[in-house]
Amino acid sequence: MSETFEKHKHIKYFERCFKMLPYQYTSSDTNRMTFLFFCISGLDLLGALDDVLTPDIKQKTIDWIYAQQIHPDPEIGNIGQCGYRGAPFLGHKFEPNSKETIHEPYDASNLAMTYTALICLIILGDDLSRVNKKAIIESISHLQQKDGSFSPVIFGMEYDMRFLYCASVISYILNDWSGINIDKAIDFIKKSQTYDFGISQGFGLESHGGPTFCAVAALSLMNKIDEGLKSKKDTLLWCLSRQVDGFQGRANKPPDTCYSFWIGAAIDILGGYHFLDHEAHKKFLYSTQTIYGGFAKYPEIDFPDILHSYMGIAALAIIPEKTEEIECLPQLETRLNMSKKTFDKNFPKNIFWNNN
Amino acid sequence: MAEQEQNNETFVLYSKRPEWSDIEPIPQYDESKPRLISINYDKEYTDAMDVFRAIVKKKEISERALELTEFLIGYNPAHYYIWKYRQDILLQLNYDLREELQKMEETTFDTMKSYQIWHHRQVMVDNLNDPVEEMDLIKIVLEYDAKNYHAWAYRQWLITRFNLFNNSELEYIDELLLEDIRNNSAWNQRMFFYNNRPEILLDSDAENEINYAIEKIKVLPNNKCPWSYLKGIIKLNEKTLLDYPNVEELCIQLKDDKTCIFPLSMYYEICEMKYRKDPTKEGYQNLLKIIDELENRDFRRVNYWNNKLNQIKSFNKQNDKSFD
């Protein structure tokens, strides 16, 4: 709808989401941690985190995150359940300082929630001292499958590239890769590269922007880009070929706001961002902004959603040469999907890195 | 679903139903104040979740618990904990899983972009150890959305798990491509078929497939999919573009159409391979000419092609005989 970046409307949008989401989000009841990440990182990129969250609310938010942590059970130990829940939907008491969790049926962490919980803690300036690193790393090793991919939770048959990325970010932040069999992970990534050099969610599937980002970012965090990509230049060309004006997630699909991040970030990590047509890209992104603030998936959709709102802003933050309207956006630490400035400022507080 | 329940005036909250009177509901303790990232749930969902929390805690395996999961899935089809609970009940009470698959058909059509419904079907079929009618169900979903990633992933899992690499799959892909020649999911499925079937790819298979792609290119040359497929099949057959003169012929035939990018860019690739093998002056000048034209046609990637130009120029400089 707009021809320029509507910074203030977006701040208002995330401020509203932080307090209350409409009932349509009920179907994401298990994923509230990811919504917290979108709000907090979104406000941080917009330079408004300190204005919207008072020190007191920040502290309460940190405590809320820690209250979702699952520790090993004193009797049964760690059976792969440790890490973070997306929300207290199974009825757990609010215990942000506990060091053990009595195991209850179906209580299990989810890698995507653990990943976003850790990023939120870093953005909020926490030193991660209440994070149960040992338990999380041990659980990660339970979640890796024979083929090298990862399952998000300890039960189920759902596993793909998304959770390999989450496991990699967690290992990077906690400065401990012992929970991942890296050779197997690389093998999985290699086998998921398709005949057009894009990357898919798993063997045989169609190349897609989301898993392409996940694989490229995971490899970069492992420092294994050259080992993991069959042909770096061909994967880069696949990514560049996705630019229509905005980016499509797959060949011959319409451009969609979120792929400006998924593909844009992959291109950035592969060192090819200067090849893009930035003006056309920005114009597309501005057209997916809505009058309520936030971004929609496509220009013709009138209502924003929290995922596309965050991805739209993160995508603009990647652009190295900032024109006036997006000058306010900091550079992005694309592999972790957070502000580079905040990362530089807060990451040194991380006790798992500074004690080494 | 949510609205439907609200409109139904006879709806009684779970916690108020006599058959649930033995259960002490457990609320969601969300003690952060002010609350953050709260969802404005319908009261029916909050109430049913309160009851759900209580029965999960005691891991109740019962008919009423099964019914409750169905109600909750209506509100939240992505709640993988509820799905897992439902699966455990179905398996432990020895339910007819075929019936469950049928029962969940409507939910599948309503939530076809959600991971969990597909995962549920996969768990049922895996336990049944029988693909039942699932391939037909996927066809119906693909009629609505021929590029549905979950449906394709499930289809590939079924084909691999039950060895369903039949020619009928190729016929089905062909049907889909007749409907939409630009459907990359269908092209990918064709590659999946040849790449994963038990039989190895023979030279004659590769040639057939190359001819298949060429025919599709002739119908619509500016369509990336068959060009990628062509390259993929050649690579699968452990050959290069230079081994197939008919591909070069095709490029030459179509490359001057200014509305098309792909014939010219593949022609460029072939010419660059030849030039790097045998750097001649004509070869070099030809490459510069092609890049110049690609910069015009593939204008979003003008910087990429410009970079290619510089690479070729520096390769030329490294040669003993420089053609600049």
Side-chain angles (χ1 to χ4, degrees), chain B residues 101-284:
Chain B
L101 286 168
Q102 278 169 10
K103 189 172 193 178
M104 285 295 155
E105 269 186 19
E106 210 175 304
T107 309
T108 309
F109 300 140
D110 289 345
T111 66
M112 57 169 83
K113 287 207 165 180
S114 163
Y115 283 89
Q116 280 66 36
I117 184 64
W118 296 103
H119 179 232
H120 183 64
R121 302 196 81 90
Q122 191 182 355
V123 172
M124 295 300 105
V125 168
D126 198 45
N127 275 286
L128 278 168
N129 197 19
D130 183 337
V132 281
E133 311 289 317
E134 291 297 271
M135 294 290 275
D136 295 332
L137 175 116
I138 294 171
K139 278 190 189 176
I140 299 172
V141 169
L142 292 177
E143 273 172 32
Y144 287 100
D145 175 11
K147 300 179 181 180
N148 184 303
Y149 207 84
H150 306 291
W152 282 110
Y154 185 43
R155 191 173 184 89
Q156 291 191 356
W157 178 81
L158 286 165
I159 291 174
T160 310
R161 170 82 163 74
F162 299 103
N163 192 15
L164 305 175
F165 291 93
N166 313 319
N167 277 341
S168 62
E169 187 65 9
L170 291 178
E171 285 161 22
Y172 176 55
I173 295 164
D174 201 37
E175 265 172 49
L176 288 177
L177 289 177
L178 283 174
E179 251 165 59
D180 177 11
I181 200 167
R182 300 172 82 248
N183 180 351
N184 195 52
S185 305
W187 283 102
N188 183 73
Q189 184 72 354
R190 208 168 172 96
M191 183 61 75
F192 163 80
F193 183 89
Y194 282 106
N195 210 358
N196 293 278
R197 64 175 186 168
E199 301 87 27
I200 56 159
L201 188 83
L202 302 171
D203 275 337
S204 57
D205 295 324
E207 254 158 57
N208 282 340
E209 285 310 294
I210 288 165
N211 289 331
Y212 182 84
I214 289 175
E215 287 313 307
K216 296 288 182 197
I217 286 169
K218 284 181 179 162
V219 176
L220 185 70
N222 204 30
N223 173 19
K224 180 78 183 167
C225 307
W227 293 99
S228 299
Y229 184 74
L230 195 65
K231 267 177 82 173
I233 282 289
I234 289 172
K235 192 151 188 222
L236 190 63
N237 199 32
E238 295 171 355
K239 299 266 170 52
T240 77
L241 284 170
L242 300 183
D243 297 314
Y244 293 94
N246 52 338
V247 174
E248 186 179 355
E249 268 166 43
L250 177 78
C251 293
I252 292 171
Q253 206 183 322
L254 299 171
K255 72 181 172 56
D256 293 328
D257 179 350
K258 288 195 187 300
T259 62
C260 288
I261 294 168
F262 308 118
L264 189 63
S265 64
M266 190 169 282
Y267 183 61
Y268 172 83
E269 221 172 303
I270 292 168
C271 292
E272 188 187 323
M273 284 166 84
K274 284 184 175 173
Y275 170 67
R276 285 188 186 263
K277 271 189 178 171
D278 176 23
T280 64
K281 188 174 181 181
E282 295 75 49
Y284 177 66

Side-chain angles (χ1 to χ4, degrees), chain A residues 18 29 106 108 110 206 244, chain B residues 37 41 80-81 88 149 300:
Chain A
F18 182 74
D29 198 16
Y106 303 98
N110 178 312
E206 185 184 1
V244 180
Chain B
I37 316 285
Y41 308 121
Y80 47 91
Y81 294 83
D88 289 349
Y149 207 84
R300 287 274 182 254

